[in-house]
Amino acid sequence: MKLHYRKIGTRTGVPVLVLRGTAGLGASMLSKDYGDELFGPGGALDASRYYLILPDALGTGQSSSGSSTRRRLPAVTDARC
């Protein structure tokens, strides 16, 4: 199984795993309107202070999907309250 991810910042920053609330690409969080506000200078997750890791959800982007792996992927349950 392969999980593709993007990295922003340097490894000396505090590591933060940034997950989307829905399946999709980590790159979708890098749009000018969203990413610049969040990861830009003075933002809540300023990339000059944090080492940001943005994964692609399984089955999207360059991550594995059920059809691209020999093993069955585990069932996923929505655990939202």
Side-chain angles (χ1 to χ4, degrees):
M1 185 179 325
K2 176 179 153 187
L3 181 65
H4 180 262
Y5 57 92
R6 289 161 184 77
K7 303 171 286 195
I8 304 171
T10 62
R11 288 182 179 233
T12 57
V14 176
V16 177
L17 181 62
V18 181
L19 301 174
R20 290 178 44 91
T22 60
L25 304 176
S28 65
M29 299 192 73
L30 301 176
S31 69
K32 183 172 177 57
D33 293 331
Y34 188 79
D36 285 356
E37 292 293 321
L38 189 58
F39 309 130
L45 293 173
D46 186 332
S48 68
R49 296 179 48 212
Y50 298 97
Y51 181 57
L52 305 165
I53 305 158
L54 298 99
D56 290 345
L58 291 176
T60 64
Q62 296 178 43
S63 290
S64 296
S65 67
S67 62
S68 66
T69 183
R70 283 181 252 160
R71 292 192 291 166
R72 288 184 63 118
L73 295 176
V76 177
T77 302
D78 186 348
R80 287 181 272 179
C81 296

